Each structure stands twice: as C-alpha cells, then as structure tokens.
Amino acid sequence: METNRTKSLYMRNNILRDYYLTSNRKSYIGEHEQIFKAIIEQDPIKAEEEMSKHINNDLSAFNDLFKNKTLDNVNICNK
C-alpha cells in the first residue's frame, strides 16, 4: 500500500501537476470533500462509492491525457 501511495503522490506532484492546473478537472477537490464527509459521517458505503467515483474520474482523465500526449508525440514525429 505504501508503494502505491508513494507512486500516486509522485505522479500527482510531478507528472500530472500541470494537468491539474490547466485542465477542466477541477472537481477532484469536491470529490475529496465528499469522501472526507462520508468518512466523518462514518458511512463506509458512501465513502466507498465516493472513492470509487473519484478513482474512475481520475483514471478517465489520465487516460485522456496520456492518449493526447501520445498523439502529440506521434504528430511531432510525423512532421
């Protein structure tokens, strides 16, 4: 678990920093708030649902980001 946490932190702080600052993916803060709220309310089902939504939203956003970066790299190589 610690390895996953470390890798996630590294990705967010280094690789994805610019993406979070420039994208429309601003809802991740609200998602964290919803997860926190469910934990405070001691509602494990809601916490799991909110965390699952958050992970899926991030995975979708990261997939789009990397797909676009790959396409950009291909376009640069073909010029």
Side-chain angles (χ1 to χ4, degrees):
M1 187 66 159
E2 187 60 33
T3 301
N4 288 343
R5 187 173 309 150
T6 301
K7 287 180 179 181
S8 177
L9 186 60
Y10 173 80
M11 286 183 65
R12 285 184 184 229
N13 287 342
N14 295 288
I15 299 170
L16 302 170
R17 174 188 59 230
D18 294 337
Y19 170 73
Y20 275 113
L21 295 174
T22 61
S23 76
N24 292 327
R25 179 83 179 94
K26 306 293 186 207
S27 64
Y28 72 95
I29 293 173
E31 292 168 2
H32 287 176
E33 290 171 350
Q34 291 303 312
I35 296 163
F36 181 73
K37 182 179 174 188
I39 292 169
I40 293 298
E41 293 172 353
Q42 297 182 351
D43 187 342
I45 293 171
K46 182 169 173 105
E48 182 178 357
E49 289 171 354
E50 295 297 335
M51 191 65 210
S52 182
K53 281 195 268 185
H54 174 62
I55 290 169
N56 285 325
N57 288 339
D58 266 358
L59 287 173
S60 177
F62 297 158
N63 185 45
D64 292 345
L65 172 69
F66 291 122
K67 187 179 354 176
N68 290 337
K69 287 222 178 265
T70 300
L71 289 176
D72 288 345
N73 289 341
V74 168
N75 292 334
I76 288 170
C77 292
N78 289 331
K79 288 183 180 181

